[in-house]
Amino acid sequence: MIAHTMTTTSLGNLLARMPYFSDLDGTTLEEIARTVRQRAVVGGETILVEGRPCDGLYFVITGHVRLTRVSAEGREHVLGVLGPGATFNDVAVFDGGPNSDAAEAVGSTTVGLISKSRMLALVDRHPQVAMAALKLLSWRQRTLGGVVEDLALRDVTTRVARLLLGCAGQRTHIVERAPDACARITHQEIASMVGSVREVVQRALKELERDGAIALDRGRVRIRDQAKLERRAQVSV
């Protein structure tokens, strides 16, 4: 089943909750909403192709979007999982380059597109949009730094524990505005998100389950004891 598009009024309400536009007045939000191109996609459908010319700023209206890159060896790495109100392709909009990542729908999803020229015009007209862009991109850069640190310094079990806390909204992570994105997640998807392989992730999950931190039940991962999971993630309680 394909997700439905939003009315202009509902879209304006969503824009008002997004960092870029939260300080804009209702009239301006309605003007932006009227220019948004909405697109309904099915799970697994490609939204963006890495390296292609940038059309503009995308954002999630309903559902979830996964941002990925593929290594020269063909191994996929998940860079972000985004929920309603989260934007993507931001860097390409502002630096004039091509799409920086690939993006695909996770289940039935609707995305919005604000053209590159429209977005740059908003930045020129509204300094608060430019300031919001700086804050958001800086926050994502800090988050990416944390992911790189995890890959370099922490073992797979610790990285899985940190991912699960991020999914639950307990720490900054690549999961953004998508608290239910990990309700049903495969071991392969977890591996792609923590930079490992499925077999190693399976062992890490079993270890966390034996420790009493999580419970595994038919494709679901449920946090059973958050304090234990935080200790395994090396997060201060």
Side-chain angles (χ1 to χ4, degrees):
M1 181 178 180
I2 298 178
H4 296 291
T5 56
M6 273 190 174
T7 65
T8 298
T9 300
S10 297
L11 195 54
N13 292 335
L14 176 61
L15 291 171
R17 299 194 298 273
M18 293 165 55
Y20 285 123
F21 313 119
S22 60
D23 290 334
L24 299 181
D25 60 72
T27 300
T28 304
L29 290 170
E30 188 173 335
E31 290 175 358
I32 299 171
R34 284 198 295 266
T35 70
V36 171
R37 282 183 277 167
Q38 298 186 58
R39 175 182 168 190
V41 290
V42 297
E45 185 173 346
T46 298
I47 300 167
L48 283 179
V49 176
E50 180 185 352
R52 293 279 181 85
C54 169
D55 293 325
L57 182 74
Y58 284 82
F59 62 96
V60 184
I61 296 175
T62 62
H64 297 112
V65 168
R66 181 188 292 121
L67 305 181
T68 63
R69 285 192 189 179
V70 178
S71 70
E73 297 78 25
R75 184 171 165 183
E76 182 183 74
H77 190 77
V78 176
L79 303 176
V81 179
L82 312 177
T87 57
F88 56 105
N89 216 34
D90 312 57
V91 171
V93 171
F94 296 120
D95 75 358
N99 300 336
S100 56
D101 309 311
E104 66 176 31
V106 182
S108 298
T109 298
T110 306
V111 297
L113 170 65
I114 301 173
S115 71
K116 182 178 176 180
S117 59
R118 175 67 172 167
M119 195 64 204
L120 294 177
L122 286 168
V123 169
D124 286 339
R125 285 170 47 197
H126 302 283
Q128 60 268 49
V129 175
M131 182 57 68
L134 287 172
K135 288 182 178 179
L136 180 61
L137 293 175
S138 297
W139 176 82
R140 285 181 174 166
Q141 181 62 38
R142 190 181 295 274
T143 299
L144 181 59
V147 172
V148 172
E149 180 181 316
D150 282 353
L151 291 171
L153 302 177
R154 296 182 173 89
D155 61 28
V156 173
T157 302
T158 301
R159 299 204 303 264
V160 170
R162 292 169 80 85
L163 169 65
L164 295 176
L165 287 173
C167 286
Q170 300 302 315
R171 64 182 298 270
T172 300
H173 204 270
I174 60 174
V175 179
E176 184 179 334
R177 293 176 176 251
D180 57 341
C182 301
R184 282 194 176 276
I185 188 169
T186 68
H187 293 176
Q188 182 57 55
E189 287 170 334
I190 293 175
S192 296
M193 294 171 79
V194 300
S196 185
V197 294
R198 182 170 56 85
E199 293 77 12
V200 177
V201 163
Q202 286 176 329
R203 291 197 294 271
L205 289 169
K206 286 295 184 182
E207 184 179 339
L208 292 172
E209 185 178 42
R210 286 194 300 270
D211 192 42
I214 65 171
L216 302 175
D217 180 25
R218 284 184 269 183
R220 288 184 178 272
V221 181
R222 178 173 56 85
I223 296 178
R224 186 175 177 184
D225 189 322
Q226 185 174 314
K228 286 184 178 179
L229 192 61
E230 287 171 338
R231 283 195 292 273
R232 295 306 303 265
Q234 301 173 10
V235 176
S236 299
V237 280

